[in-house]
């Protein structure tokens, strides 16, 4: 006999409110997670419908009081069924409770009082606005915020206040000033409206080039003949992948179906958002991670009711409750942010493929540097590979020069900038062209250490180094612990204690020293603290209000600056030296994306890669812009060492505020694993990468196998054990399949 947990109202604030029913023998084959059923409910045995969210062999309640399910609702295509099946898929494959999985998939309804949104529009004629703009431009040091706003309002009828202030970075004082002078007006409206594109402006019409055309045609032909597939578009940077997506989207929408577009949060800039608005107008809705649960819920309601048919957003947009979903697009498919960092740690790529399978939809993955996972699947014929080899507007790819920093050192140059890079920078500054200098963030932060004995000052609550701040305090970036900077080393008493400046900061100083006249912008964790700090820096750079942009990986993400003709990768090695097996892949991606920033306009571009390891395959292949060659070497390495995608890893983390308990519990689980499967490849238990965080001790166990199901089986055994275990209730255990970061 089987027993089912049934949920009656999934818009309920408490998704964990389930009722237990008996599954009658004759229904056993038909009842599964997500299936809609009719049950007798309450005193009068009213027949109501509900959804099955769990199945088990042992009843949780007194069997004599349980009622049987009356019947299964046949051919139920309710979107709720689909989402619950999706939650079950996530729970099974990534590890979590059903409740956690449901909460991931279905947003909780929270009543909020109606919020009013402010909208900006012109209060004068278009001609008058043009005159105003011209006058503004003739003024020296005019407010660029006003310029941006006026330019935008000449193209768009109505602009959302949030878009203007946050994405377009117009200071609110600029807006108020224009309002006071009667040039614009601000209105409060209850619901969100998309920007209205001015009818007087014909949107830039793009005709797909041959490669784009044949890519789009192939996918559309498959859709027309009912073939649902997953495509991987491998297109060089600037090859016009987005135009291909939009062409296929239009086709799918004309068939009355809906589309989900996933874009990494950091690439969801004003330009990207506007590209979709300009093309699809009111059919588009945008999701972002800053929205409140209520706002998210509202967006999802609009999708469900058919108000919109395109949802653009980060990972969580995947769960948009479209009832007739035809297409899911995942742009920059290789981005690590597509994997959730909280339980359930699902990957959007695999989950999207499963959702598409449930909904009968197609999937398009796109990247200039596909993940090893996606490309190996394409090689195995599971995905259809489509290649775009040329840049959309026919520009050449940047030429790449590799500078050997060992030679540079030998010749006495100890600066972060090689002679060749300095020479090219001088040339570009002369020609009034722009430069991007790129430095990887990791390993170069300003932590405090002793130069005499090497002692690193650590947070007393976390197993991480403290960072020195401008105000003379030392801070822990994980828990916020703050103390005054010490004058002497607590370990050896030496007074040679200090911090190494973050690499970007040092680089900025060097550039200013070498080129005092250059206008330099720096973009890193420090300068982007504000909500939309990075948008502000990017739009300043885009408006050519600076000559050099220095930054971490944030600056390489898909930005289109036409005037950048030189990209310098100041230290290509930092990401190579990480212990993580992804380091080769990350380095290749970073270098390729960085090189791809150069020469996107009419002038050809040069990229300079500075490295201590010019012979490393990730450096060599990114310099020659040869993805396939990189892939072949990287996959051989993964195969040799049994790393994903050639094998699978299950990371298990056990944590507790009590160090002994964490150690004991991890040992108990390791024993259980060995008893369950004595041939499984097991590593640990050992301390996690950060062994202590916020006073919580963390131990990890890693399992490895080519068969994903074998790992899922062990996860299930552990889950059942934990449910019944009476000891060590103060420990927490969670799972991470094919982890992206070292646990
Ligand atoms: P990707 O996403 O592959 O990096 P985008 O789709 O962002 O490339 O396109 C890069 C630039 O080229 C954009 O400014 C886009 O408007 C332009 N573009 C794309 N396709 C064409 C085309 N067929 N003709 C002219 N311009 C194009
Ligand atoms: Zn010391
Ligand atoms: Zn701390």
């Amino acid at each position: 006999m089987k027993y089912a947990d049934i949920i009656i109202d999934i818009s309920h604030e408490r998704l964990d409110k389930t009722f237990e029913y008996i599954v009658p023998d004759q229904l056993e084959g038909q009842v599964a997670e997500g299936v809609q059923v009719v049950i007798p409910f309450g005193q009068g045995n009213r027949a109501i419908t509900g959804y099955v969210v769990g199945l088990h062999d042992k009843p949780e309640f007194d069997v004599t009081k349980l009622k049987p399910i009356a019947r299964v609702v046949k051919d139920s295509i309710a979107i709720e069924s689909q989402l619950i099946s999706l939650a079950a898929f996530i729970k099974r494959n990534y590890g979590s409770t059903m409740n956690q999985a449901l909460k991931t998939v279905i947003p909780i309804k929270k009543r909020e009082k109606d919020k009013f949104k402010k909208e900006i529009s012109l209060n004068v004629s278009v001609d008058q606005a043009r005159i105003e703009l011209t006058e503004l431009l003739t003024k020296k040091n005019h407010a660029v915020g006003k310029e941006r706003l006026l330019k935008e309002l000449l193209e768009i009828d109505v602009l959302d206040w949030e878009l203007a202030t946050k994405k377009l970075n117009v200071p609110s004082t600029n807006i108020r000033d224009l309002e006071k002078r009667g040039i614009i007006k601000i209105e409060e409206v209850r619901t969100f409206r998309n920007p209205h594109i001015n009818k007087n402006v014909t949107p830039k019409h793009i005709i797909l080039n041959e490669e784009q055309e044949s890519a789009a045609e192939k996918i559309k032909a498959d859709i027309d003949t009912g073939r649902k597939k997953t495509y991987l578009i491998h297109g060089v940077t600037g090859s016009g992948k987005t135009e291909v997506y939009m062409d296929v989207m239009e086709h799918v929408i004309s068939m009355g179906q809906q589309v989900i577009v996933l874009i990494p949060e950091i690439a969801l800039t004003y330009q990207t958002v506007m590209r979709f608005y300009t093309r699809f107008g009111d059919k588009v809705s945008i999701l972002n991670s800053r929205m409140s649960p209520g706002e998210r819920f509202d967006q999802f309601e609009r999708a469900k009711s058919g108000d919109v048919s395109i949802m653009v957003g980060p990972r969580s947009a995947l769960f948009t409750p479209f009832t007739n979903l035809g297409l899911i697009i995942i742009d920059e498919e290789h981005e690590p942010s597509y994997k959730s960092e909280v339980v359930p740690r699902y990957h959007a790529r695999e989950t999207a493929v499963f959702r598409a399978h449930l909904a009968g939809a197609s999937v398009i993955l796109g990247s200039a540097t596909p993940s090893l996972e996606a490309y190996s699947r394409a090689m195995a014929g599971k995905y259809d590979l489509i290649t775009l080899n040329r840049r959309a507007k026919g520009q050449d790819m940047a030429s790449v020069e590799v500078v050997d920093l060992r030679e540079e050192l030998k010749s006495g140059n100890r600066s972060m900038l090689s002679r060749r890079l300095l020479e090219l920078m001088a040339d570009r500054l002369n020609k009034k062209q722009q430069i991007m200098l790129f430095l990887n963030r990791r390993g170069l932060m300003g932590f405090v250490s002793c130069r005499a004995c090497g002692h690193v000052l650590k947070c007393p609550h976390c197993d991480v180094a403290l960072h020195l701040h401008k105000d003379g305090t030392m801070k822990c970036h994980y828990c916020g612990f703050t103390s005054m900077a010490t004058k002497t080393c607590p370990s050896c008493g030496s007074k040679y204690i200090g911090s190494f400046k973050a690499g970007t900061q040092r680089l900025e100083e060097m550039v200013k020293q070498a080129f005092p006249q250059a206008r330099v912008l720096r973009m890193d964790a420090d300068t982007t603290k504000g909500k939309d700090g990075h948008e502000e820096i990017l739009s300043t750079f885009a408006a050519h209000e600076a000559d050099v942009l220095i930054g971490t990986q944030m600056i390489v993400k898909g930005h289109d600056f036409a005037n950048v003709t030189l990209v310098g990768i100041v230290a290509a090695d930092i990401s190579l030296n990480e212990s993580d097996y992804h380091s080769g892949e990350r380095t290749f991606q970073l270098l390729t994306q960085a090189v791809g920033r150069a020469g996107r306009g009419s002038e050809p571009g040069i990229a300079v890669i500075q490295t201590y390891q010019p012979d490393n395959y990730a450096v060599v292949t990114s310099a020659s812009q040869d993805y396939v060659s990189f892939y072949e070497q990287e996959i051989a390495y993964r195969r040799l060492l049994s790393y994903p995608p050639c094998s699978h890893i299950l990371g298990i983390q056990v944590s507790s505020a009590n160090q002994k308990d964490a150690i004991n519990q991890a040992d108990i689980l390791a024993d259980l694993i060995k008893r369950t499967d004595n041939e499984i490849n097991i590593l640990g238990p050992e301390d996690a990468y950060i062994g202590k965080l916020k006073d919580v001790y963390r131990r990890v166990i890693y399992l490895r196998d080519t068969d994903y199901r074998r790992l899922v089986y062990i996860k299930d055994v552990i889950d059942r054990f934990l449910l019944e275990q009476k000891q060590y209730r103060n420990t927490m255990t969670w799972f991470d399949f094919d982890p992206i970061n070292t646990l």
Side-chain angles (χ1 to χ4, degrees):
M1 192 71 87
K2 278 207 184 292
Y3 303 87
D5 296 325
I6 292 169
I7 200 163
I8 297 176
D9 175 11
I10 68 163
S11 66
H12 202 282
E13 285 195 25
R14 285 181 52 210
L15 281 168
D16 49 352
K17 184 78 187 145
T18 59
F19 300 89
E20 190 169 33
Y21 280 81
I22 295 169
V23 181
D25 288 343
Q26 73 274 15
L27 292 183
E28 218 183 283
Q30 303 168 47
V31 174
E33 285 131 335
V35 166
Q36 202 176 11
V37 292
V38 176
I39 46 168
F41 192 75
Q43 297 285 311
N45 282 338
R46 209 156 35 94
I48 62 165
T49 59
Y51 297 95
V52 178
V53 295
L55 282 169
H56 35 93
D57 297 323
K58 274 191 242 155
E60 266 170 64
F61 293 95
D62 181 358
V63 195
T64 59
K65 300 222 170 91
L66 295 185
K67 299 174 205 171
I69 293 173
R71 63 186 175 87
V72 166
V73 179
K74 283 267 160 57
D75 305 320
S76 145
I77 48 154
I79 180 64
E80 283 75 16
S81 292
Q82 238 184 65
L83 293 174
I84 292 170
S85 308
L86 200 58
F89 168 88
I90 288 176
K91 167 188 186 285
R92 188 164 58 245
N93 286 290
Y94 299 103
S96 74
T97 63
M98 188 59 183
N99 192 24
Q100 285 168 322
L102 281 172
K103 280 187 173 146
T104 305
V105 167
I106 299 167
I108 311 290
K109 182 177 182 171
K110 274 222 184 78
R111 276 268 38 98
E112 290 175 359
K113 52 179 185 314
D114 278 328
K115 265 214 221 147
F116 285 87
K117 305 245 175 198
K118 289 200 283 274
E119 289 183 346
I120 308 166
S121 53
L122 285 180
N123 195 31
V124 294
S125 70
V126 168
D127 286 338
Q128 263 175 295
R130 283 217 179 90
I131 295 168
E132 184 69 27
L133 178 63
T134 322
E135 275 176 12
L136 183 71
L137 291 177
T138 54
K139 279 185 208 149
K140 247 192 180 175
N141 299 325
H142 67 270
V144 285
K146 286 185 192 172
E147 175 188 341
R148 263 181 228 138
L149 184 63
L150 283 175
K151 278 186 177 160
E152 213 54 37
L153 287 174
L154 282 170
E155 306 223 337
I156 289 164
D157 282 345
V158 180
L159 187 62
D160 185 65
W161 175 278
E162 299 254 309
L163 268 180
T165 52
K166 294 191 178 152
K167 293 264 175 218
L168 205 56
N169 277 298
V170 181
S172 52
T173 48
N174 283 187
I175 305 179
R176 290 294 178 198
D177 199 39
L178 288 172
E179 185 196 20
K180 248 183 244 154
R181 293 177 39 221
I183 294 159
I184 59 168
K185 58 176 189 285
I186 299 167
E187 286 166 303
E188 295 216 335
V189 291
R190 179 162 298 188
T191 51
F192 177 79
R193 284 186 285 166
N194 287 347
H196 295 272
I197 310 307
N198 195 321
K199 325 266 167 332
N200 303 326
V201 181
T202 38
K204 179 170 71 161
H205 189 67
I206 283 179
I207 300 163
L208 296 186
N209 67 32
E210 223 171 283
E211 269 190 339
Q212 289 171 312
E213 177 83 20
S214 80
E217 287 309 319
K218 175 180 166 16
I219 300 173
K220 290 192 285 186
D222 281 347
I223 291 173
D224 285 344
T225 50
R227 280 191 292 253
K228 310 296 181 200
K229 296 188 188 167
T230 300
Y231 306 86
L232 172 62
I233 301 186
H234 172 213
V236 297
T237 50
S239 57
K241 291 182 287 294
T242 312
E243 296 300 328
V244 177
Y245 305 153
M246 293 202 289
D247 192 66
V248 181
M249 285 164 69
E250 199 156 292
H251 188 71
V252 169
I253 286 168
S254 73
M255 295 163 59
Q257 296 187 316
Q258 297 109 23
V259 184
I260 293 171
V261 185
L262 302 188
I263 291 182
E265 180 93 32
I266 190 129
L268 259 180
T269 56
Y270 186 77
Q271 276 77 13
T272 321
V273 169
M274 288 319 283
R275 267 174 96 175
F276 288 100
Y277 278 146
T278 330
R279 179 81 170 247
F280 299 106
D282 277 344
K283 295 195 186 79
V284 185
S285 181
I286 309 276
L287 216 62
N288 66 53
S289 58
R290 286 183 306 262
M291 283 176 168
S292 70
E295 285 174 306
R296 252 171 67 94
F297 186 84
D298 287 349
Q299 294 297 344
F300 275 13
E301 283 296 292
R302 294 178 73 204
K304 201 163 139 187
S305 67
D307 250 16
V308 295
S309 40
I310 297 170
M311 184 65 82
V312 181
R315 194 176 63 223
S316 60
L318 181 58
F319 306 117
T320 307
F322 282 133
T323 53
N324 192 12
L325 182 67
L327 176 65
I328 303 174
I329 292 167
I330 306 186
D331 192 28
E332 310 283 357
E333 155 285 322
H334 62 276
E335 272 293 306
S337 64
Y338 285 126
K339 176 114 195 277
S340 169
E341 301 111 54
V342 293
V343 176
R345 299 179 163 238
Y346 68 95
H347 200 297
R349 191 193 313 113
E350 273 66 53
T351 311
V353 171
F354 186 73
R355 171 143 196 217
H357 163 76
L358 289 177
S362 312
V363 179
I364 302 177
L365 311 170
S367 176
T369 51
S371 64
L372 271 275
E373 280 75 10
Y375 205 79
S376 64
R377 269 181 221 141
M379 291 293 104
K382 289 181 193 139
Y383 299 167
D384 274 27
L385 181 65
I386 296 174
T387 314
L388 302 177
N389 286 312
R390 285 193 311 271
R391 280 187 160 175
K393 290 178 275 190
Q395 318 96 308
D396 286 329
M397 298 301 292
S399 55
V400 183
E401 295 182 20
V402 176
V403 170
D404 187 343
L405 287 175
R406 294 169 305 187
E407 295 297 320
E408 207 65 22
L409 210 57
K410 262 189 223 157
S411 69
N413 179 11
R414 297 162 139 262
S415 146
M416 289 169 92
L417 300 166
S418 63
R419 289 159 300 175
R420 177 64 179 149
L421 187 52
L422 282 169
E423 176 192 344
L424 286 168
M425 284 177 75
D427 173 68
R428 302 301 138 122
L429 288 170
N430 239 334
K431 292 182 184 152
K432 302 257 178 294
Q433 295 171 352
Q434 286 176 294
I435 300 162
M436 286 169 91
L437 294 181
F438 167 75
L439 195 67
N440 195 0
R441 172 173 53 100
R442 283 188 209 158
L444 272 183
M445 294 297 267
F447 60 85
V448 185
S449 65
C450 170
R451 258 163 253 190
C453 76
H455 179 78
V456 175
L457 266 75
K458 285 190 171 178
C459 171
H461 308 288
C462 307
D463 198 7
V464 297
L466 291 172
H467 290 241
L468 193 67
H469 282 242
K470 280 208 188 83
D471 59 7
T473 61
M474 301 188 296
K475 277 204 177 80
C476 169
H477 287 179
Y478 286 83
C479 74
F481 169 84
T482 307
S483 75
M484 286 310 291
T486 49
K487 296 263 181 328
T488 54
C489 169
S491 176
C492 76
S494 150
K495 55 183 191 301
Y496 294 105
I497 189 153
S499 86
F500 293 98
K501 267 188 200 153
T504 42
Q505 224 170 315
R506 242 170 71 212
L507 186 56
E508 183 184 19
E509 284 166 15
M510 281 183 180
V511 171
K512 282 181 172 163
Q513 224 166 37
F515 306 102
Q517 80 287 10
R519 296 167 299 171
V520 183
L521 276 179
R522 175 164 63 91
M523 180 153 139
D524 56 25
D526 274 342
T527 58
T528 55
K529 282 270 161 54
K531 255 190 177 172
D532 285 86
H534 76 274
E535 287 263 0
E536 192 172 329
I537 295 172
L538 291 174
S539 49
T540 309
F541 191 62
H544 204 159
E545 288 155 27
D547 307 300
V548 185
L549 176 61
I550 293 174
T552 57
Q553 50 255 66
M554 292 177 199
I555 67 171
V556 304
K557 295 285 153 63
H559 306 296
D560 208 11
F561 302 116
N563 200 35
V564 172
T565 55
L566 174 63
V567 167
I569 295 124
V570 175
D573 308 294
I574 294 153
S575 47
L576 270 178
N577 298 330
E578 278 175 41
S579 55
D580 190 335
Y581 72 86
H582 289 105
S583 64
E585 185 179 4
R586 296 275 175 267
T587 302
F588 181 84
Q589 287 165 354
L590 244 43
L591 296 184
T592 307
Q593 298 284 352
V595 169
R597 293 314 107 204
R600 291 172 80 92
S602 48
E603 292 295 312
I606 295 187
V608 176
I609 300 178
Q610 303 191 147
T611 175
Y612 289 99
Q613 302 168 60
D615 304 324
N616 182 286
Y617 67 101
V619 174
V620 172
T621 53
S622 59
S624 59
Q625 308 189 32
D626 186 352
Y627 175 82
V628 175
S629 162
F630 166 75
Y631 170 80
E632 279 163 2
Q633 296 180 65
E634 181 68 19
I635 200 84
Y637 153 76
R638 303 273 178 104
R639 200 173 293 124
L640 193 68
L641 296 176
S642 296
Y643 283 127
C646 304
S647 186
H648 294 288
I649 293 177
L650 168 58
I652 305 167
Q653 189 173 100
V654 178
S655 57
S656 174
N658 181 317
Q659 187 171 19
K660 268 215 189 89
D661 289 351
I663 292 173
N664 289 342
Q665 177 73 340
D667 289 344
I668 288 170
L669 295 186
D671 280 344
L672 174 68
I673 292 164
K674 286 173 199 155
R675 270 183 281 127
T676 307
D677 184 340
N678 62 7
E679 278 169 20
I680 192 85
N681 178 322
I682 180 167
L683 194 78
E686 59 191 20
D687 278 344
Y689 180 62
I690 297 175
K692 182 171 78 158
L693 191 73
K694 300 182 188 175
D695 289 318
V696 171
Y697 296 85
R698 302 150 24 127
R699 301 278 286 173
V700 287
I701 301 169
Y702 284 107
L703 306 179
R704 201 164 2 178
D705 201 77
T706 50
D707 187 356
Y708 198 91
R709 286 164 305 181
R710 190 170 170 185
L711 301 176
V712 168
Y713 179 79
I714 294 174
K715 182 252 310 172
D716 289 341
V717 169
I718 294 175
D719 258 347
R720 273 197 298 278
F721 171 81
L722 292 173
L723 215 58
E724 279 160 22
Q725 190 191 29
K726 296 278 183 292
Q727 267 181 304
Y728 297 111
R729 287 277 170 185
N730 60 335
T731 64
M732 239 223 353
T733 302
W734 52 254
F735 303 98
D736 193 348
F737 282 84
D738 291 344
I740 294 256
N741 297 310
T742 313
L743 297 186

